[in-house]
Amino acid sequence: MASSTLPLFPKLLQNETADVCVVGSGIAGLTTAYLLARDGYSVIVLDDGPLVSGETERTTAHLTHALDSRFFELERLHGEKGARIAAESHSAAIEKIEEIVKRENIGCDYQRLDGYLFCPPGESTQILEREMAAAHRAGLDAVEMVSRAPVGSFDTGPALRFPRQAQFHPLKYLAALTIAFQRQGGRIFTNTHVTGVEGGEPARVETKGGYVVNAKALVMATNTPVNDRLIIHTKQAAYRTYVIGATVPAGSVPKGLYWDTADPYHYVRVQPLDRGDVLIIGGEDHKTGQANDADARYLRLEQWARARFPMIEAIPHRWSGQVMEPVDGLAFIGRNPMDQENVYLITGHSGNGMTYGTLAGMLISDLIAGRENRWAALYDPTRKTLGAAKEFAAQNLNVAARYLENVTGGIPQDPSTLLPGTGAVIRRGLKKAAVYRDDAGELHEFSAVCPHLSCLLSWNAAEKSWDCPCHGSRFDRHGHVLNGPAISDLED
Ligand SMILES: Cc1cc2nc3c(=O)[nH]c(=O)nc-3n(C[C@H](O)[C@H](O)[C@H](O)COP(=O)(O)OP(=O)(O)OC[C@H]3O[C@@H](n4cnc5c(N)ncnc54)[C@H](O)[C@@H]3O)c2cc1C
Ligand code: FES
């Protein structure tokens, strides 16, 4: 999403105490913090970047209960009741955003609109019939089959219409939410990297500057948990996803949320701007650290978009981001497994993190306040989903294969051959070095071993980052950690 004016906050420069410390200032962290502050708790939010500098900054902001995981799959994995709760909780999240927008009088282009799911050309549309039946059983009675989505420029073929979905400008929304949070006494510290957390009484959050926040409860809203070393990371996988933003004449593409059933799928919506509209098109996902061909992916996205939307004038925007895919199709929201009772986490929201982040705020604030929440069991991070054994095994076999790279990976390249602005993992006997040559020609060298659980990193030429193929940690070209689960920088 295009940048918007977000408030600036100081670094943590002394020890602090609060009822709740929330780590992460994306939609999940800020919504949780805001709702807790509304309940009367004193809350501190910490973030290692500026406000909203994680994946929420990169989102395409479809607000939908038409989840990435098909309802018939959710039924298989979590039963009819689980699928119903998933539908109900995401619908409630959209309602909650709407309630907050009205209550805080937020101008964030929020609007209700319909979503359409359709098949790629030539593919059987049986999947739509199956999904419609499962969506009805999940309580989404208004979902219906239409002969095509209302896009004039191409025929989608039969489509499932999900009425009353929504879209908004997430940065405008969160800027206002932050101000409301502060008005309720909430405190925010940015550029404050959390280096360790410990549950207990009090729970402690340690930061790089040496200062500590003591709190009665901790919420880790870091997109992927940086406190859980292993358990959750065996149950989800990190994917890169790619987006282009195309200018189109105002009104030339009807407002709506559009998704196909391809794997990986395409996702499209229209963002109105002052002059014309921007058509936001995403897709081309791959496992983090397991492909380094972003230019080809952007090109395929562009070709896909131009073939369907000939009114595209120019494509001035492109970006990528990271989503966490749970093996059993649902996010993990609740108490951190095998930890103290007062440590909570929010992760695994696939491409539905706007609604997951919001429902997580509702769920976690209930858990902290000791209120009953009927969604808690479904999203419990300790759950074991028997039906997902195959997906679990596939994910962990994929990780195991990546460990082999520690022996075989890297190229026996002479770093002097590296061009400015490029990087490579270079083999030196049994050791592997992550070597980057900056634009001025200087070499920067680090260990190519991920500090999380020792997988071999890969170079990501598009983002100029070192990406871990095992659980998705990422590091900038200078070795600073960008995405967890790693909590520390690369070793020199
Ligand atoms: C390209 C793209 C398109 C998407 N489209 C959609 C969509 O249309 N609809 C939808 O619902 N979802 C979408 N998603 C998913 C959604 O954007 C994310 O799931 C959601 O933004 C995650 O929010 P979060 O608050 O959990 O994490 P983030 O926004 O990533 O926030 C986590 C924060 O934690 C901080 N942090 C991490 N580690 C530390 C540490 N050690 N110390 C201190 N702070 C730390 C980070 O700096 C960051 O600010 C999309 C995602 C991407 C990448
Ligand atoms: S993220 Fe787990 S080993 Fe790198």
Side-chain angles (χ1 to χ4, degrees):
M1 292 296 305
S3 163
S4 173
T5 314
L6 286 163
L8 296 173
F9 292 95
K11 250 183 158 163
L12 183 72
L13 289 175
Q14 61 182 36
N15 296 340
E16 296 282 356
T17 305
D19 290 331
V20 184
C21 179
V22 176
V23 184
S25 72
I27 190 157
L30 287 176
T31 307
T32 308
Y34 164 81
L35 292 176
L36 284 166
R38 247 167 74 165
D39 278 345
Y41 290 94
S42 71
V43 184
I44 286 180
V45 174
L46 302 178
D47 200 294
D48 65 0
L51 196 78
V52 197
S53 52
E55 302 314 318
T56 303
E57 193 191 18
R58 297 167 180 83
T59 194
T60 52
H62 296 220
L63 302 176
T64 181
H65 56 218
L67 303 182
D68 283 11
S69 313
R70 299 276 95 87
F71 281 107
F72 58 77
E73 263 299 288
L74 291 178
E75 251 182 10
R76 180 181 72 80
L77 293 163
H78 303 279
E80 203 173 305
K81 186 174 167 213
R84 278 188 93 84
I85 292 177
E88 171 195 303
S89 55
H90 284 270
S91 304
I94 303 175
E95 299 282 344
K96 178 58 78 179
I97 290 171
E98 188 165 308
E99 183 248 308
I100 293 171
V101 167
K102 284 190 186 141
R103 180 190 178 113
E104 305 296 349
N105 196 17
I106 302 177
C108 60
D109 313 329
Y110 174 86
Q111 75 176 114
R112 289 278 190 172
L113 32 67
D114 295 345
Y116 295 88
L117 179 69
F118 54 91
C119 295
E123 282 198 10
S124 159
T125 54
Q126 249 184 2
I127 188 173
L128 300 180
E129 300 282 354
R130 248 182 111 192
E131 182 62 350
M132 182 167 72
H136 289 168
R137 287 192 295 273
L140 300 174
D141 301 335
V143 174
E144 61 169 357
M145 188 76 80
V146 293
S147 57
R148 59 184 282 178
V151 184
S153 55
F154 79 102
D155 185 357
T156 60
L160 277 192
R161 184 173 79 93
F162 289 78
R164 285 181 55 74
Q165 311 303 291
Q167 67 178 26
F168 68 167
H169 192 303
L171 302 186
K172 290 182 187 171
Y173 172 75
L174 289 173
L177 191 79
T178 302
I179 290 164
F181 169 62
Q182 281 186 292
R183 216 173 37 240
Q184 284 149 351
R187 288 171 289 164
I188 301 181
F189 299 95
T190 54
N191 298 305
T192 299
H193 181 67
V194 169
T195 51
V197 300
E198 208 179 299
E201 292 179 11
R204 270 169 68 83
V205 179
E206 288 163 14
T207 67
K208 199 171 180 178
Y211 302 107
V212 170
V213 177
N214 288 314
K216 293 183 193 138
L218 292 182
V219 182
M220 300 305 289
T222 48
N223 193 38
T224 188
V226 294
N227 52 326
D228 177 289
R229 209 147 163 77
L230 185 61
I231 301 174
I232 288 293
H233 306 296
T234 61
K235 303 205 275 189
Q236 64 179 7
Y239 282 74
R240 302 298 297 166
T241 182
Y242 297 83
V243 182
I244 55 175
T247 53
V248 292
S252 60
V253 180
K255 301 237 179 66
L257 309 180
Y258 304 102
W259 320 283
D260 67 13
T261 57
D263 184 16
Y265 73 101
H266 298 94
Y267 46 101
V268 180
R269 79 169 180 91
V270 183
Q271 174 68 35
L273 292 182
D274 294 342
R275 283 190 225 146
D277 290 344
V278 173
L279 191 62
I280 302 171
I281 303 128
E284 288 292 335
D285 306 15
H286 65 80
K287 277 199 164 165
T288 298
Q290 300 192 18
N292 184 17
D293 56 354
D295 283 342
R297 287 171 194 271
Y298 284 122
L299 185 64
R300 284 199 294 272
L301 265 188
E302 177 173 344
Q303 286 165 342
W304 185 90
R306 284 193 186 278
R308 287 160 181 79
F309 301 100
M311 67 288 277
I312 286 177
E313 294 162 340
I315 304 187
H317 312 285
R318 68 183 211 178
W319 69 93
S320 73
Q322 189 141 309
V323 290
M324 304 306 302
E325 295 290 351
V327 293
D328 65 359
L330 289 175
F332 302 101
I333 304 166
R335 293 197 166 84
N336 188 34
M338 300 184 64
D339 202 336
Q340 303 275 348
E341 283 275 287
N342 58 348
V343 182
Y344 301 85
L345 63 82
I346 305 168
T347 190
H349 355 56
S350 322
N352 303 118
M354 296 293 105
T355 40
Y356 268 130
T358 305
L359 76 87
M362 298 161 78
L363 173 45
I364 301 260
S365 56
D366 280 353
L367 293 179
I368 289 177
R371 291 187 292 257
E372 185 96 356
N373 185 304
R374 49 191 251 107
W375 311 334
L378 184 70
Y379 294 122
D380 185 347
T382 63
R383 69 176 181 260
K384 290 192 175 56
T385 312
L386 293 179
K390 213 169 96 202
E391 290 83 354
F392 180 85
Q395 157 63 5
N396 289 292
L397 274 173
N398 179 286
V399 169
R402 304 277 83 79
Y403 274 104
L404 270 183
E405 300 265 306
N406 283 7
V407 184
T408 58
I411 42 173
Q413 184 178 358
D414 175 358
S416 67
T417 61
L418 275 180
L419 293 173
T422 65
V425 172
I426 288 177
R427 203 186 300 162
R428 295 230 174 84
L430 285 179
K431 288 212 165 144
K432 310 288 178 337
V435 186
Y436 168 67
R437 185 184 293 284
D438 66 25
D439 291 339
E442 197 181 329
L443 284 175
H444 303 266
E445 181 167 332
F446 312 93
S447 164
V449 175
C450 176
H452 175 232
L453 289 174
S454 303
C455 270
L456 190 67
L457 302 173
S458 305
W459 175 244
N460 177 340
E463 300 292 319
K464 295 200 190 321
S465 62
W466 302 103
D467 296 0
C468 182
C470 282
H471 315 105
S473 291
R474 297 180 58 246
F475 307 83
D476 73 12
R477 63 198 88 169
H478 299 297
H480 301 303
V481 62
L482 292 170
N483 288 99
I487 202 164
S488 57
D489 297 339
L490 296 181
E491 284 177 13
D492 288 334

